[in-house]
Amino acid sequence: MKKIVQMFAIVFIASFAILFFIARLNASEGYSGDNTLTIYNWGEYIDPELIDRFEKETGIKVIYQTFDSNEAMMTKISQGGTTFDIAVPSEYAISKMKEEGLLIPIDHSKIPNLKYINPRFLNLSFDPGNKYSIPYFWGTVGILYNPEALGGKKIDSWNDLWDKDMKNQILLVDGAREVIGMGLNSLGYSLNDTNKDHLLEAKKKLDKLTPNVKAIVGDEIKMLMANEEAGAALVWSGDAADIMWENEKLDYVVPKEGSNLWFDNMVIPKTAKNIEGAHKFINFMLDPKVAAQNAEYVGYSTPNEKALEYLPKEISEDERFYPSPELTDKLEVYENLGKRMLSYYNDLFLEFKMHSK
Amino acid sequence: MKSNIRALYFLPYVLWILLFVVVPILLIIYYSFFNIEGTFSFENYEKFFTPVYLKMALSSFWYAFLITAFSLLIAYPTALLLTKTKHKQLWLLLIILPMWINLLLKAYAFLGIFGTYGIANHFLELIGVGAKQILFTDFSFVFVSVYIFVPFMILPIFNALEKLNPTLVDAAKDLGASPWITFRRVIFPLTLDGVKSGCQAVFIPALSLFMITRLIAGNRVITLGTAIEQHFLVTQNWGMGATIAVFLILAMVIIMFLTGNRK
Amino acid sequence: MNRKWKVSNIYLIIVFFILYAPIFYLIYYSFNSGGKMHHFENFTLDWYKEVLQDVRLLIIVLNTIVIALLSAAISTIIGVFGALAIYSVKTRRVKNTLLSLNNVLLVSPDVIIGASFLILFTIVGIQLGFISVLLSHIAFSVPIVVLMVLPKLQEMSPTLIDAARDLGASQWNVITKVVIPYITPGIFAGFFMALTYSLDDFAVTFFVTGNGFSTLSVEIYSMARQGISLTINALSTLIFLLTILLVIGYYFITLRYNRPGRLGGRK
């Protein structure tokens, strides 16, 4: 009995000591002060130096939290109990959040740097007039492949993946819309197709792909491809850029049938406390030099046209990540298909996964 | 007087059960009756009884069974041998220690170890077997799952072995029993309770694995957990997710009933 | 006798080797200048330097430790009460019901626990942050404590209690001087399992946290999309070394503390 009491005593004393220490640390870092800005962003999605710079320039202390999926982030914000001032959802999440009244309109007069954004990336279907969101990064969905591992094969279309010589060579991301979208695009249909016949056709075609599919994975796809675990993968362009930086044998292509154009935009959730600070932050990130530095660090494509001038030519002129206007016109943004249809997409995807066995 | 003290220690526990078990269960059952549009309906339950989900449930049970069986196979000898060492408590703590390193990190480490160009394949090449596809197979999935669950199996068995009366073993030996018979007729039956709690602590969570099914099995293995995670996080169809959870809870109750004490 | 001893040793060594293989892999790459967990380039201590300079990371680690310690301690207390409660119930039906209820949280997927707790907390109006995370961790650790303590109670011979009462012990003394010492190994086991559950948890914590409060698991999972920085490897190595030192140190200290008065081996 004495041993137990001792143990508990140690545990409680140690805990309270640590709590005290944490409180001191938080105070010294300014985390418990009043002039704070709480940002909710993807992991490793900003150059930490820029946060420091923002804090110095404005005197606002940044509290930074990260998430790893749109859905998880939306659940947190919609349930309440949080005070995020800025969040960075993907485009389909933004239209959902708009619908559910989770966003505060952005005052464009407070963010003059908006003029630097390429107009091609503004006023899109998921947020007309950019009332609620400002572009942060954008990209495409495409095929990352290892020409060497595939015997010198050149890939430029979705249908290439169905070739017999691609047996057990493909990794897919764990995303219903990406995979079903690939099926739809390969048949010439739109990514936002809601016709059940088309969807079933796409699913049937995907079932035929299963001998070529090695696995359906998440973020670890980057490590796997860099390790040359597979010859080809369905990935987002930003991931592809990262992987190619690590393993120069790999190449990325946006298939010619068409693909997805995705955006991650900054929004101000309705639970924000520091709306002034949020606007300052958005304007700060829109500064061309800041955007360029961020793009170089994170490796994704920046929507900031002026920032391209500050990026090394090998980045800004890389057609794979900054495709021509003609190709970009073919790309589609995911529309909000409504809960029922999205549920149907996910059910099809679940069946596809089970078929993959 | 007695009942006063009993009430004292009954109270916090019952309070915990009410707040954190009963209420969430009620919430889950409540949610399971709402479809994706938020209206009351039975369609989630209808969906569950289709081939897709039934196959998934069967698959989950099968893999959970495999994982539990292998964990038991590996854990029991380990626990037995541990009780015979000099610093057994130390070794026990050292067995639990790896569990304090984040699961995702260990999974990434396994991705590296079992990769096509990883250490395991290097070893296989050295001994002349040649590189094999280890990742994204049933083998690697069960292996890593057992890796995670083995400490959960070792602990209760170890505890049970510790409390075993050694004179019983001596008596068996005196009566001429071989080590195997001693084990089968004396040691194992007396530690059955530990084996049972170990199996419960492994089988039940193994039914809802989803991280490992994706990371190590590349979604070639689908458990009920995969579906739940998808419904709760991706589709936002909490109703369907809750329905699957209801069945998981039912399965648990049945298993507990089957392996419970019949004394 | 010698031969058998060798085989069992080899078995144990293999088990330990496999258990620690991923850990050593992580430690190995924490020195990789290449920045990723493959293709080792050059040896470097840069990642360790980064760890020691990152105050935000330090706060997160401390948060994680505090939550683990407190939740394990409190859940152990509640769990022991629970085991005593279940043990003292005489009717088998009630006993099995309590046990089933106890284990519900063990079978439920983390996602569901997290989601249902989130709903619960918002209904009740508890602010998301340290308190909600602590309550959740306590909640999901209680069942495993019960499962570790209960078997020991059941193996305890009830004649011990009778004997103690015969000798005039009060109810309090029966519990503290007879029952608890008997089940102490179970209590320790429960405490460590609770610690483990807390340290490793991601999904539940993620759902119920807020206000800048983050734990190591949540941080690591969020990093996965961009690639886990090797500072995490370095951090994990440091934590691992520290824990090993603590464990070994604690063990040998208690050994020494127990030695005077013990004559010979304990079987």
Side-chain angles (χ1 to χ4, degrees):
Chain A
M1 183 73 183
K2 209 188 339 173
K3 237 198 322 181
I4 294 199
V5 172
Q6 266 175 359
M7 179 185 83
F8 275 102
I10 296 179
V11 166
F12 280 114
I13 294 179
S15 306
F16 286 114
I18 298 180
L19 275 174
F20 183 67
F21 189 45
I22 294 179
R24 286 275 299 278
L25 275 179
N26 272 322
S28 75
E29 287 284 299
Y31 284 139
S32 33
D34 269 328
N35 197 10
T36 61
L37 186 75
T38 313
I39 303 180
Y40 203 27
N41 198 357
W42 300 85
E44 296 274 300
Y45 215 34
I46 196 172
D47 185 345
E49 247 184 59
L50 294 174
I51 301 187
D52 290 337
R53 205 195 312 173
F54 176 74
E55 287 177 332
K56 278 204 194 76
E57 281 181 22
T58 60
I60 303 176
K61 184 66 193 173
V62 170
I63 299 178
Y64 199 76
Q65 278 214 288
T66 55
F67 59 86
D68 73 330
S69 87
N70 282 304
E71 291 71 20
M73 176 260 302
M74 279 193 291
T75 309
K76 290 300 292 290
I77 293 185
S78 65
Q79 272 293 328
T82 57
T83 54
F84 300 119
D85 298 303
I86 296 253
V88 188
S90 304
E91 81 290 342
Y92 73 91
I94 295 179
S95 58
K96 263 202 208 169
M97 291 169 87
K98 246 181 24 174
E99 224 178 76
E100 296 177 20
L102 293 173
L103 304 176
I104 296 181
I106 298 182
D107 185 351
H108 288 200
S109 70
K110 297 211 173 111
I111 46 171
N113 284 338
L114 185 58
K115 62 184 185 233
Y116 295 119
I117 297 282
N118 187 332
R120 213 202 310 160
F121 300 129
L122 293 174
N123 200 20
L124 294 167
S125 59
F126 61 89
D127 183 22
N130 286 90
K131 265 177 79 182
Y132 296 96
S133 67
I134 304 293
Y136 184 67
F137 279 120
W138 66 279
T140 54
V141 167
I143 305 176
L144 174 75
Y145 65 104
N146 187 339
E148 215 179 276
L150 296 174
K153 187 186 175 89
K154 181 114 180 40
I155 297 191
D156 65 350
S157 87
W158 291 120
N159 281 300
D160 285 335
L161 294 176
W162 270 261
D163 290 346
K164 286 240 156 61
D165 58 358
M166 295 294 288
K167 186 149 196 250
N168 212 25
Q169 282 284 14
I170 305 178
L171 291 176
L172 299 177
V173 275
D174 193 1
R177 295 205 70 172
E178 285 75 16
V179 174
I180 308 254
M182 166 174 77
L184 288 167
N185 272 147
S186 73
L187 288 167
Y189 299 136
S190 152
L191 282 178
N192 295 308
D193 207 326
T194 54
N195 180 325
K196 285 214 172 149
D197 290 330
H198 292 177
L199 286 170
L200 283 171
E201 212 189 310
K203 160 84 176 32
K204 269 221 187 94
K205 183 159 185 200
L206 285 171
D207 281 343
K208 295 215 193 90
L209 187 64
T210 50
N212 292 0
V213 175
K214 187 174 245 192
I216 304 174
V217 288
D219 300 313
E220 60 276 14
I221 204 170
K222 294 166 72 163
M223 183 183 180
L224 294 170
M225 284 309 287
N227 275 347
E228 299 181 33
E229 288 290 334
L234 170 67
V235 291
W236 288 282
S237 54
D239 286 348
D242 276 341
I243 306 171
M244 285 160 62
W245 189 80
E246 272 187 59
N247 187 332
E248 296 180 345
K249 294 194 209 158
L250 303 174
D251 199 5
Y252 177 75
V253 66
V254 180
K256 60 184 185 213
E257 295 103 329
S259 182
N260 167 245
L261 185 67
W262 59 263
F263 287 91
D264 285 333
N265 286 19
M266 296 181 273
V267 299
I268 305 183
K270 72 164 192 256
T271 53
K273 292 254 149 75
N274 188 350
I275 300 184
E276 272 299 309
H279 281 93
K280 284 208 182 114
F281 182 76
I282 297 179
N283 200 40
F284 173 76
M285 292 313 295
L286 287 173
D287 176 290
K289 294 219 184 95
V290 172
Q293 184 175 337
N294 208 16
E296 254 200 276
Y297 180 87
V298 172
Y300 282 46
S301 309
T302 178
N304 192 317
E305 195 152 31
K306 192 89 166 84
L308 293 179
E309 292 174 26
Y310 298 105
L311 284 172
K313 279 225 155 61
E314 59 203 16
I315 295 183
S316 58
E317 292 186 353
D318 190 340
E319 279 246 338
R320 297 171 302 185
F321 301 106
Y322 289 93
S324 63
E326 299 84 46
L327 186 51
T328 319
D329 282 341
K330 269 189 161 177
L331 304 174
E332 298 172 273
V333 176
Y334 286 139
E335 313 240 333
N336 183 358
L337 303 175
K339 285 195 180 155
R340 182 65 52 182
M341 182 53 58
L342 283 176
S343 180
Y344 187 62
Y345 265 71
N346 274 292
D347 286 337
L348 285 178
F349 187 48
L350 195 59
E351 283 180 43
F352 169 68
K353 279 187 191 171
M354 297 216 59
H355 186 95
S356 270
K357 259 213 85 152
Chain B
M1 249 268 273
K2 228 200 295 180
S3 53
N4 264 357
I5 299 217
R6 198 203 275 195
L8 198 72
Y9 56 77
F10 243 102
L11 196 60
Y13 184 66
V14 173
L15 200 66
W16 167 80
I17 283 200
L18 279 175
L19 270 181
F20 291 105
V21 179
V22 175
V23 170
I25 293 184
L26 291 175
L27 277 174
I28 291 176
I29 298 181
Y30 177 72
Y31 267 88
S32 72
F33 289 110
F34 285 83
N35 65 12
I36 191 143
E37 273 120 16
T39 48
F40 187 89
S41 117
F42 286 105
E43 67 177 80
N44 292 330
Y45 285 90
E46 283 166 18
K47 231 205 238 174
F48 189 81
F49 285 103
T50 56
V52 176
Y53 283 96
L54 290 176
K55 217 169 45 153
M56 200 189 302
L58 233 66
S59 168
S60 302
F61 273 91
W62 170 241
Y63 280 105
F65 170 73
L66 277 181
I67 295 172
T68 312
F70 280 111
S71 303
L72 182 59
L73 229 79
I74 298 188
Y76 205 106
T78 314
L80 197 59
L81 292 172
L82 278 181
T83 56
K84 302 209 166 109
T85 60
K86 202 159 58 139
H87 300 284
K88 54 181 107 165
Q89 299 285 348
L90 179 67
W91 295 121
L92 197 63
L93 276 175
L94 287 180
I95 293 244
I96 301 184
L97 205 57
M99 290 166 70
W100 293 352
I101 306 283
N102 186 279
L103 177 61
L104 190 63
L105 286 180
K106 290 188 290 197
Y108 270 80
F110 272 114
L111 282 181
I113 295 176
F114 283 150
T116 314
Y117 300 105
I119 304 176
N121 269 329
H122 274 144
F123 176 70
L124 284 178
E125 272 170 16
L126 266 176
I127 61 173
V129 175
K132 298 241 181 279
Q133 173 70 39
I134 308 181
L135 276 180
F136 314 129
T137 59
D138 281 356
F139 167 74
S140 54
F141 173 66
V142 174
F143 186 93
V144 177
S145 306
V146 169
Y147 173 90
I148 296 172
F149 285 117
V150 142
F152 289 91
M153 185 72 88
I154 292 182
L155 260 182
I157 297 181
F158 180 86
N159 279 341
L161 282 167
E162 280 285 274
K163 280 305 169 183
L164 188 61
N165 191 339
T167 56
L168 288 170
V169 178
D170 293 337
K173 293 221 186 100
D174 279 346
L175 290 168
S178 70
W180 171 247
I181 297 274
T182 318
F183 175 74
R184 221 187 75 193
R185 292 289 190 89
V186 181
I187 301 183
F188 188 76
L190 287 173
T191 53
L192 204 57
D193 274 341
V195 171
K196 278 198 201 149
S197 8
C199 287
Q200 281 171 359
V202 172
F203 186 86
I204 295 173
L207 282 174
S208 47
L209 280 174
F210 73 89
M211 262 283 135
I212 303 295
T213 54
R214 198 190 72 193
L215 282 166
I216 305 289
N219 276 311
R220 297 189 82 89
V221 173
I222 307 278
T223 64
L224 291 173
T226 318
I228 293 182
E229 196 239 354
Q230 198 164 308
H231 286 304
F232 260 89
L233 288 183
V234 183
T235 338
Q236 303 271 289
N237 189 351
W238 286 29
M240 191 65 211
T243 313
I244 305 179
V246 167
F247 281 102
L248 270 179
I249 296 178
L250 278 174
M252 182 223 36
V253 170
I254 296 177
I255 291 172
M256 298 219 46
F257 181 69
L258 287 175
T259 59
N261 288 331
R262 268 171 242 149
K263 273 193 272 188
Chain C
M1 188 56 185
N2 244 354
R3 226 185 305 138
K4 213 182 187 192
W5 188 77
K6 284 257 170 74
V7 168
S8 48
N9 260 26
I10 295 182
Y11 182 79
L12 277 181
I13 293 179
I14 295 182
V15 167
F16 269 97
F17 175 71
I18 296 184
L19 268 180
Y20 280 83
I23 315 253
F24 291 143
Y25 187 91
L26 289 172
I27 298 181
Y28 177 67
Y29 278 103
S30 69
F31 297 109
N32 181 14
S33 68
K36 300 286 170 183
M37 279 200 268
H38 43 266
H39 303 133
F40 196 95
E41 281 174 28
N42 291 312
F43 183 91
T44 177
L45 284 176
D46 283 348
W47 305 112
Y48 289 89
K49 286 197 212 128
E50 248 193 73
V51 170
L52 297 170
Q53 285 169 351
D54 191 341
V55 183
R56 178 163 176 262
L57 197 57
L58 178 63
I59 295 183
I60 292 177
V61 172
L62 290 177
N63 285 344
T64 315
I65 296 178
V66 159
I67 291 279
L69 284 176
L70 278 180
S71 71
I74 300 178
S75 64
T76 306
I77 296 176
I78 300 183
V80 170
F81 284 169
L84 287 172
I86 296 183
Y87 175 71
S88 65
V89 164
K90 294 305 171 200
T91 36
R92 222 189 61 187
R93 264 257 225 99
V94 177
K95 206 190 248 247
N96 279 338
T97 322
L98 276 180
L99 269 175
S100 300
L101 282 175
N102 181 67
N103 294 352
V104 163
L105 288 183
L106 281 180
V107 66
S108 310
D110 290 347
V111 183
I112 298 203
I113 299 180
S116 54
F117 282 5
L118 178 61
I119 302 173
L120 186 66
F121 289 139
T122 27
I123 292 179
V124 174
I126 298 184
Q127 249 235 337
L128 296 183
F130 176 73
I131 298 284
S132 56
V133 175
L134 183 63
L135 287 176
S136 310
H137 281 230
I138 295 175
F140 67 60
S141 296
V142 168
I144 195 70
V145 175
V146 171
L147 282 190
M148 291 285 139
V149 174
L150 196 57
K152 294 219 136 300
L153 274 176
Q154 288 164 338
E155 279 149 19
M156 182 178 67
S157 165
T159 54
L160 275 173
I161 302 187
D162 295 337
R165 292 244 200 86
D166 279 346
L167 289 167
S170 67
Q171 183 75 352
W172 177 251
N173 272 339
V174 168
I175 295 183
T176 58
K177 296 233 168 94
V178 180
V179 179
I180 300 230
Y182 192 90
I183 61 175
T184 296
I187 298 183
F188 271 101
F191 178 77
F192 278 104
M193 290 316 291
L195 259 183
T196 311
Y197 271 38
S198 171
L199 285 172
D200 207 31
D201 177 72
F202 157 68
V204 178
T205 314
F206 177 82
F207 271 101
V208 303
T209 192
N211 274 340
F213 186 84
S214 186
T215 61
L216 200 52
S217 292
V218 174
E219 202 57 24
I220 294 178
Y221 274 76
S222 326
M223 283 177 134
R225 183 150 288 208
Q226 285 294 91
I228 298 183
S229 159
L230 288 181
T231 45
I232 297 293
N233 288 47
L235 180 64
S236 301
T237 309
L238 288 174
I239 295 179
F240 177 71
L241 286 174
L242 186 68
T243 340
I244 283 214
L245 285 172
L246 278 175
V247 163
I248 296 183
Y250 170 78
Y251 184 73
F252 282 109
I253 290 179
T254 49
L255 259 192
R256 202 169 273 199
Y257 184 66
N258 283 333
R259 216 181 281 154
R262 287 199 163 268
L263 297 169
R266 147 188 215 253
K267 183 29 177 132

